[in-house]
Amino acid sequence: MKLWGGRFESGSSEIFERFSGSLDFDRRLIDADIRGSQAFARALERAGIVTAGERETIVTAFDRIRGEAASPSFYEGATDEDVHTLVIRKLQERAGAVAGKIHTGRSRNEQVSLDMRLWLREECDRARALLCGLMGALLDLAEAYPGALIPGYTHMRRAQAVLWPHYLLAYFEMFARDWERIGEARRRANVLPLGSGALAGSGFPFDREAMARDLGFDAITRNSMDVSGDRDFALDFLYAASVAMLHLSRLAEDWILYSSEEFGWLELADGVTSGSSLMPQKKNPDSLELIRGKAGRVMGSLTSLMVTMKGLPMTYNRDMQEDKVPLFEAADQLAGSLEMARVVVASVKLNPARPALAAEESWVVATDLAEALARAGTPFHQAHQLAGRFVLESVRSGRKPADWTAEEMQRFAPEFTADFARLLDPKEGMKSREIVGGTGPEAVSAALAEARERLTEMTI
Ligand code: ARG
């Protein structure tokens, strides 16, 4: 079936139909399309275009169609141009002539926008729930090793000691921002486009506010031309999804390293790793590598729609049909990656001795020494110089922090008074970082409790 044709003398070519059809992918919108059309039938009744009886016939037929659409045979032999056309053909088959009124004052340009917004709302909810699951798993893991210490890195060089929960809370913050960003994308999508017509506004007096209430939208769009040419709401989601994938990818990268034999900090569960067909000893972090890999695909989806939209003249252009595959793809890869990450986090084991040793064997305490000197009155610049020379001397003589005694330190520099030796233990210096947001043990345990609290609010 076609929703147009009067102006044509001959039919479409077979190649054009195959090339331009979108049913293969936009059938994913069928639930949204039916929901939207049922609400539109009610709007037609309110506008006096269909009777209450006709509206009832349409709505009931759509309920049946929705049920039938669950079985794959529903689509067998369907040659309709897109999901909107298919749904109207089915309505004609089920409800007869009254189906001819369902498209009164409505265009597929606004309908596709409506369907995508309805679909996207639910995808945002799904992604946010999965983010909450992942954040919960991160907090569980932090609570499992409250006192574990790791060297924090800058430039991939050991920098300063931090608590393991502090490190995990950094990811909690990133995912909490993703939760907000996807909520913002949802808010922007949750605006009713119906009533815009093809581009100039509908020629029938629909109560748009009533339609918005019916479909659970927070607001109505303000310009029909904008609606017809707008995919910002999809781009907002794709951006939010890309940033979430970026965070997942960095976590994946960290843990691929931390679970390597070189680091030996983490043991990934058997259930999320795989072996080699050749090398019997291998236990590969494939789940994490795939998360990192899929991040590229999601960012590709964002780029794809950006580039599709950037040169389009106002308003709707068929190019815009290419929005769906990247949007679906990104939503699926994001959901899959969030689910996978939660399982990895929930099943990982930390071997706290290894990062503790990495901290002790390096000079992560150098900053603690310099700051303690500054606290005792040495100007920081000189304190930095002195601590630097102390590290250089240690490197030259092959000494680790623990190899120094208080007396030797004092002999090296009288500024290193007796209590400085205490700071050679990386656990000690952390105690001076009790600032909000810092890695001091009290600050971290407060941050952990606060994160738990925030997470309960997010799930609501
Ligand atoms: N399948 C089309 C899309 O996804 C629906 C809108 C069709 N509008 C049109 N003027 N051909 O963009």
Side-chain angles (χ1 to χ4, degrees):
M1 185 187 117
K2 279 201 176 24
L3 296 174
W4 44 270
R7 187 242 173 275
F8 293 80
E9 291 182 54
S10 64
S12 319
S13 69
E14 196 265 335
I15 168 87
F16 173 72
E17 296 217 338
R18 244 189 308 121
F19 186 69
S20 62
S22 55
L23 189 57
D24 277 352
F25 49 89
D26 68 12
R27 55 194 260 187
R28 191 161 174 179
L29 296 172
I30 193 153
D31 249 8
D33 199 76
I34 291 174
R35 234 186 323 151
S37 290
Q38 287 181 318
F40 194 63
R42 290 186 283 270
L44 288 172
E45 182 194 353
R46 279 192 298 270
I49 297 161
V50 300
T51 65
E54 287 173 327
R55 183 258 307 144
E56 180 61 27
T57 308
I58 294 172
V59 170
T60 316
F62 273 139
D63 281 337
R64 272 180 48 209
I65 295 167
R66 181 188 288 114
E68 290 163 12
S71 99
S73 64
F74 181 79
Y75 298 96
E76 252 165 43
T79 55
D80 310 273
E81 187 181 319
D82 54 24
V83 68
H84 324 293
T85 313
L86 169 90
V87 164
I88 290 181
R89 174 171 62 81
K90 294 282 180 181
L91 182 69
Q92 228 156 43
E93 290 166 11
R94 303 288 175 276
V98 68
K101 294 193 183 175
I102 190 67
H103 223 56
T104 315
R106 183 177 72 166
S107 156
R108 277 182 297 162
N109 295 352
E110 54 183 338
Q111 199 180 351
V112 71
S113 169
L114 174 74
D115 292 4
M116 287 172 71
R117 288 165 188 269
L118 288 171
W119 177 85
L120 195 52
R121 266 189 344 200
E122 282 174 17
E123 280 307 308
C124 289
D125 294 342
R126 171 161 80 126
R128 291 176 107 203
L130 291 169
L131 274 166
C132 286
L134 174 58
M135 284 187 276
L138 284 170
L139 297 185
D140 292 344
L141 183 60
E143 281 161 7
Y145 305 94
L149 172 154
I150 63 168
Y153 294 80
T154 63
H155 312 269
M156 207 54 223
R157 302 292 183 268
R158 294 174 198 171
Q160 288 183 277
V162 293
L163 286 171
W164 171 246
H166 193 58
Y167 162 79
L168 293 175
L169 282 167
Y171 279 101
F172 178 90
E173 293 301 329
M174 295 176 227
F175 295 127
R177 286 196 297 275
D178 294 327
W179 184 88
E180 280 176 20
R181 234 184 313 270
I182 294 174
E184 177 64 16
R186 188 195 195 285
R187 204 179 63 71
R188 286 174 185 274
N190 202 29
V191 182
L192 174 97
L194 277 186
S196 302
L199 77 159
S202 180
F204 296 80
F206 295 121
D207 180 347
R208 300 190 62 213
E209 295 288 354
M211 284 198 277
R213 279 194 299 279
D214 189 345
L215 286 165
F217 285 106
D218 294 332
I220 61 173
T221 55
R222 311 310 304 188
N223 182 289
S224 61
M225 293 187 80
D226 176 39
V227 165
S228 194
D230 173 35
R231 289 293 178 271
D232 287 6
F233 59 93
L235 289 169
D236 284 339
F237 175 78
L238 287 170
Y239 173 70
S242 295
V243 178
M245 288 301 300
L246 181 154
H247 295 148
L248 284 167
S249 182
R250 293 186 74 178
L251 178 66
E253 169 67 9
D254 274 0
W255 288 21
I256 289 165
L257 292 174
Y258 296 172
S259 62
S260 68
E261 284 148 302
E262 281 69 15
F263 276 79
W265 299 8
L266 296 177
E267 179 71 22
L268 299 171
D270 284 2
V272 301
T273 47
S274 70
S276 155
S277 57
L278 183 84
M279 301 165 281
Q281 86 285 8
K282 291 299 288 295
K283 185 177 172 188
N284 296 328
D286 296 32
S287 48
L288 295 171
E289 292 169 305
L290 284 166
I291 288 173
R292 194 175 56 187
K294 284 163 191 294
R297 281 172 71 173
V298 174
M299 292 165 196
S301 293
L302 170 64
T303 307
S304 165
L305 186 56
M306 282 276 192
V307 177
T308 298
M309 297 303 296
K310 76 172 259 299
L312 297 188
M314 283 284 268
T315 57
Y316 177 85
N317 297 269
R318 191 66 178 269
D319 317 43
M320 289 164 72
Q321 180 169 291
E322 300 299 320
D323 57 358
K324 280 162 216 71
V325 172
L327 187 64
F328 296 160
E329 149 84 6
D332 288 342
Q333 297 308 333
L334 174 65
S337 302
L338 286 169
E339 253 178 312
M340 187 73 258
R342 184 187 55 76
V343 174
V344 171
V345 172
S347 59
V348 76
K349 297 226 166 351
L350 175 72
N351 174 10
R354 288 293 293 263
L357 189 68
E360 283 156 23
E361 285 184 338
S362 63
W363 280 94
V364 294
V365 297
T367 308
D368 301 330
L369 291 171
E371 289 185 353
L373 287 169
R375 257 178 242 117
T378 309
F380 185 75
H381 184 66
Q382 272 124 273
H384 188 287
Q385 280 289 116
L386 182 50
R389 282 200 290 111
F390 183 57
V391 171
L392 181 62
E393 171 57 26
S394 306
V395 170
R396 275 194 187 139
S397 56
R399 278 190 274 192
K400 299 189 292 287
D403 298 332
W404 288 89
T405 65
E407 294 72 39
E408 286 169 330
M409 281 181 84
Q410 224 157 355
R411 232 172 294 136
F412 180 84
E415 291 91 335
F416 286 142
T417 51
D419 55 331
F420 270 77
R422 180 179 61 86
L423 291 172
L424 295 171
D425 177 353
K427 266 195 223 66
E428 285 301 309
M430 283 198 307
K431 294 179 187 162
S432 64
R433 308 191 185 286
E434 291 295 4
I435 192 162
V436 176
T439 196
E442 312 261 301
V444 171
S445 91
L448 198 49
E450 197 186 278
R452 269 283 175 220
E453 188 78 28
R454 282 161 61 197
L455 184 58
T456 22
E457 276 155 34
M458 282 185 231
T459 358
I460 299 166

